Amino acid sequence: MDNDYLVKSVAENGQFRAYAVNATALVEEAHQIHDTWSAASAALGRAMVGTLLLATSGLQGEAGMTVKIQGDGPTGFIVVDGTAQGTVKAYMQNPHVNLPLNDKGKIDVAGAVGKSGTLSVTKMAPGDKTPYTGEVNLVSGELGDDFTYYLAQSEQIPSAVGLSVFVQSDDHIEVAGGFLIQVLPGASDEAISHLEETLRDLPLVSDLLRDGKSPEQILEKIFAGRELKILEKVAVEYKCDCSKDRFETALSSLSKKDLQEMIDQDHGAEAVCRFCGHKYHFTEDELKLLVAKK
Ligand SMILES: [Zn+2]
């Protein structure tokens, strides 16, 4: 297993469920696929880390989720698909966003995403005809707080989410990762306020990762001196599941007239996957078959 992985744990004898992830390589991969500039890299990276934490904590088996963040900032909308298995793929409307650092000297993610808008989560299980969708308004645009607010409002799970990406001056992703802590029913007031204090003083996840800390060590730092049981380690990766079949289905939903135009004018069609950039070519003959099926 390389450095990109997520750890699931329970802490303080079942009072908390806690997850931590190092997603550096997969956020770097997204940066390369989409040519994101620094503020866009940080925004897309945080959205991907948040989706990974949400998907691996809240889904079972073959289920997947789509997180859509629609803010009023220059990046436009962000779409991230995640699975229970720890794969993720992402797309952003405008990846070419660079901004001056904010007043804390950090990349201005809220400025890139926008401070008002919505975050929605759609969960799909195989064979499920009516997917579940929850939506909240953005509360900060920094995304960690927005995922926390989503969990509290839409799923009634009190939690804390930390998301962080460090972009180097040459635009490469030095580190990316995060944590999610859920308060379980029966957690004591003492345990909750102790945790809140620890989180207030916790360095950024990006600083911990740059220090060489592993996801396990991040959880150990959060629950220092308290009981912590690591349950599982899950490899995480950027993975697109597109295929020519899928694009053929999309093409076949076009009108006969539109397909005929592609045949007459372009003598074929090219479809580009917006998540991974893979190109699928359809020949004139393939398009004629689709017209014949109409
Ligand atoms: Zn693809």
Side-chain angles (χ1 to χ4, degrees):
M1 201 177 275
D2 62 23
N3 286 330
D4 267 25
Y5 65 87
L6 178 140
V7 166
K8 301 182 181 184
S9 72
V10 284
E12 305 200 38
N13 303 305
Q15 298 189 78
F16 304 101
R17 206 173 267 143
Y19 306 79
V21 63
N22 182 347
T24 304
L26 72 85
V27 173
E28 170 66 21
E29 190 169 344
H31 154 64
Q32 288 179 16
I33 290 170
H34 299 293
D35 188 31
T36 49
W37 294 358
S38 66
S41 297
L44 189 64
R46 285 193 200 174
M48 290 168 75
V49 172
T51 303
L52 272 173
L53 289 163
L54 223 55
T56 51
S57 65
L59 298 175
Q60 306 288 333
E62 301 295 309
M65 68 166 55
T66 297
V67 173
K68 186 166 184 187
I69 297 159
Q70 177 77 67
D72 61 350
T75 62
F77 68 79
I78 299 171
V79 177
V80 188
D81 280 1
T83 67
Q85 282 85 35
T87 69
V88 76
K89 63 178 184 179
Y91 174 77
M92 168 181 259
Q93 200 172 6
N94 179 17
H96 290 169
V97 178
N98 257 338
L99 294 172
L101 297 180
N102 64 20
D103 54 13
K104 291 182 183 130
K106 304 288 181 198
I107 292 180
D108 189 1
V109 171
V113 172
K115 290 183 179 71
S116 66
T118 55
L119 182 154
S120 73
V121 177
T122 304
K123 295 180 183 179
M124 296 139 295
D128 197 352
K129 294 267 185 319
T130 49
Y132 160 91
T133 299
E135 183 177 292
V136 293
N137 288 324
L138 294 178
V139 288
S140 85
E142 292 285 339
L143 300 186
D145 292 343
D146 301 297
F147 276 97
T148 304
Y149 184 67
Y150 164 79
L151 280 167
Q153 289 298 309
S154 206
E155 303 203 12
Q156 281 80 48
I157 303 173
S159 48
V161 181
L163 308 172
S164 135
V165 176
F166 191 94
V167 184
Q168 288 170 334
S169 54
D170 66 359
D171 270 357
H172 280 285
I173 308 302
E174 183 168 322
V175 293
F179 65 81
L180 162 61
I181 298 162
Q182 299 178 342
V183 182
L184 297 179
S188 72
D189 291 346
E190 185 278 328
I192 294 171
S193 56
H194 180 264
L195 177 67
E196 283 170 350
E197 250 168 64
T198 310
L199 292 178
R200 249 195 311 274
D201 298 335
L202 191 77
L204 289 174
V205 172
S206 55
D207 290 340
L208 295 170
L209 290 170
R210 291 176 79 205
D211 256 5
K213 298 271 188 292
S214 66
E216 291 92 331
Q217 288 169 323
I218 291 172
L219 293 175
E220 281 159 13
K221 194 168 172 65
I222 293 172
F223 293 102
R226 306 260 163 158
E227 195 265 353
L228 174 72
K229 192 156 114 199
I230 303 288
L231 300 175
E232 200 186 342
K233 229 170 132 168
V234 182
V236 295
E237 61 172 333
Y238 194 101
K239 190 173 174 188
C240 191
D241 53 355
C242 65
S243 65
K244 191 166 178 179
D245 274 359
R246 215 175 259 205
F247 281 97
E248 190 175 307
T249 308
L251 274 177
S252 63
S253 70
L254 295 177
S255 71
K256 206 166 175 170
K257 179 172 160 284
D258 287 345
L259 286 168
Q260 196 59 49
E261 256 176 41
M262 288 177 178
I263 294 167
D264 297 338
Q265 292 170 15
D266 307 325
H267 306 288
E270 191 174 76
V272 182
C273 174
R274 67 179 189 174
F275 288 102
C276 71
H278 194 96
K279 291 189 176 94
Y280 294 94
H281 186 72
F282 291 85
T283 64
E284 203 170 334
D285 285 344
E286 286 171 319
L287 292 179
K288 280 179 183 161
L289 275 175
L290 290 179
V291 172
K293 281 187 208 156
K294 288 269 167 190

